[in-house]
Structures are given as structure tokens and as C-alpha cells.
Amino acid sequence: MTTFRFRAGLASLLAVGILAGGSAAPSVAAPVPTEQTATSTIQAEVRYGQPNLYTWDIARMIAFYRDNLGFTEVYRFPETGTAVFGTVVKGDFYLTFVTYEQMRSSTGINRIFPGYLRQFDITVLVQTPAEVDAMVTAMAATGVQVLMAPTDQPWGERQAYVTDPEGNLVQISTHSA
């Protein structure tokens, strides 16, 4: 079984609802009214936060997280043609992707653009040190950039770092003790 955590201070606070005055205690997801898309109706679950990653290419990001890390695509808009928004899920961890242009045009925030400074990572936790090694080896074989080969850390984790297609840091980790 694979679990995930997102390391970013503000996003972590949002994810547990602290900034909204909510409780940090977990709660049961309750159904909410359905959302209409151009061609289908989807049932949404209540979520208390999720990272949104900006990209030039939604399909490429979905493929990376699906093919390399086992996420499942659950939403793409529009459903046909060039997507401007997409969502993937693994367990109860969701990631969304939106194009830079869509973010600028839908929010009016013009300072959204690609950058080279990454001050967060998406962490994928796996069960065994061998899984860390196998995932990184498989990704490297397909051309994924490996920033740090699997390494045993003194705090008890085996971890590695790769980048997704937009250069975001992705940590693959497990407790090795």
C-alpha cells in the first residue's frame, strides 16, 4: 500500500482546515452535490485541500503521475481536445494540474508563470526500501531525471528525488528501519 504526504507549510495547513478554523482531526468525507461538466456528471467528495501544480501540458503531467507513480486520472477538462485542467488520485491523495494560461485568465493573477525555484516537494511513501529502488530504476529507464539516487538517511528513511515534467521535486521514500 502506498501513502502520500505533501510538504509545504501553507498547503499543509489548508489540507487539515486549520486556516479555515476547522479541526485538524480527520473527518469522514461526505458527498456533495454533483458538478456538471460539458459531457458528464461527476460525484465529488469533500476534500480539505490538495496541491495544484501548474503546467504547460496537462496530458503529460497526468501521464507522468499515472505511469510512474500509480495515480489514477479522475477528471480532465475539457474531456476531449487539449486539456486546461486535470485531477489524479492515489488512495485519498489528490493532485490537480492547471495550465499557466488558464490560471492567469481565470484568476486575473498575472504573476503565474514557470519558475526554477522549487520550495516544496510531493512525497510518495512506499512500503519497502526495495520499492524505492525499483520505482527510481524504472523511471530513470524512461528518461525521468533522477536528482538523488536512493539513499539511506540517518533518520531512518530510504529516499530518492526525481522531477516531474515541469521540474517539480518528487520524493520517493520509505522508512528503512
Side-chain angles (χ1 to χ4, degrees):
M1 180 173 157
T2 304
T3 57
F4 300 87
R5 69 176 179 247
F6 176 71
R7 290 185 180 176
L10 180 59
S12 296
L13 293 173
L14 290 171
V16 297
I18 292 171
L19 292 180
S23 168
S27 63
V28 175
V32 296
T34 59
E35 301 172 10
Q36 296 292 323
T37 65
T39 58
S40 69
T41 302
I42 60 172
Q43 180 71 30
E45 291 181 359
V46 172
R47 298 191 294 252
Y48 294 100
Q50 65 195 23
N52 297 308
L53 301 178
Y54 307 145
T55 182
W56 293 111
D57 189 336
I58 300 296
R60 186 173 175 208
M61 291 290 274
I62 288 172
F64 173 84
Y65 284 90
R66 179 192 63 224
D67 299 346
N68 294 299
L69 299 167
F71 282 76
T72 301
E73 178 180 341
V74 294
Y75 183 76
R76 181 186 298 230
F77 181 82
E79 290 181 16
T80 59
T82 303
V84 297
F85 186 85
T87 303
V88 295
V89 65
K90 180 76 173 181
D92 62 357
F93 182 69
Y94 289 79
L95 283 172
T96 59
F97 311 109
V98 63
T99 63
Y100 295 101
E101 183 54 39
Q102 182 63 39
M103 276 301 294
R104 286 190 296 264
S105 67
S106 66
T107 66
I109 302 171
N110 292 323
R111 66 182 187 167
I112 296 171
F113 55 89
Y116 296 103
L117 182 60
R118 309 291 181 191
Q119 296 186 22
F120 66 92
D121 65 57
I122 302 296
T123 300
V124 178
L125 296 175
V126 297
Q127 293 298 308
T128 67
E131 265 186 279
V132 173
D133 295 7
M135 289 179 88
V136 172
T137 298
M139 284 190 267
T142 64
V144 171
Q145 183 181 15
V146 177
L147 298 177
M148 185 182 94
T151 303
D152 290 326
Q153 299 293 0
W155 52 86
E157 291 185 351
R158 180 150 182 88
Q159 63 182 193
Y161 279 89
V162 300
T163 61
D164 72 15
E166 286 294 329
N168 298 305
L169 300 177
V170 179
Q171 179 191 148
I172 302 162
S173 181
T174 189
H175 295 287
S176 57

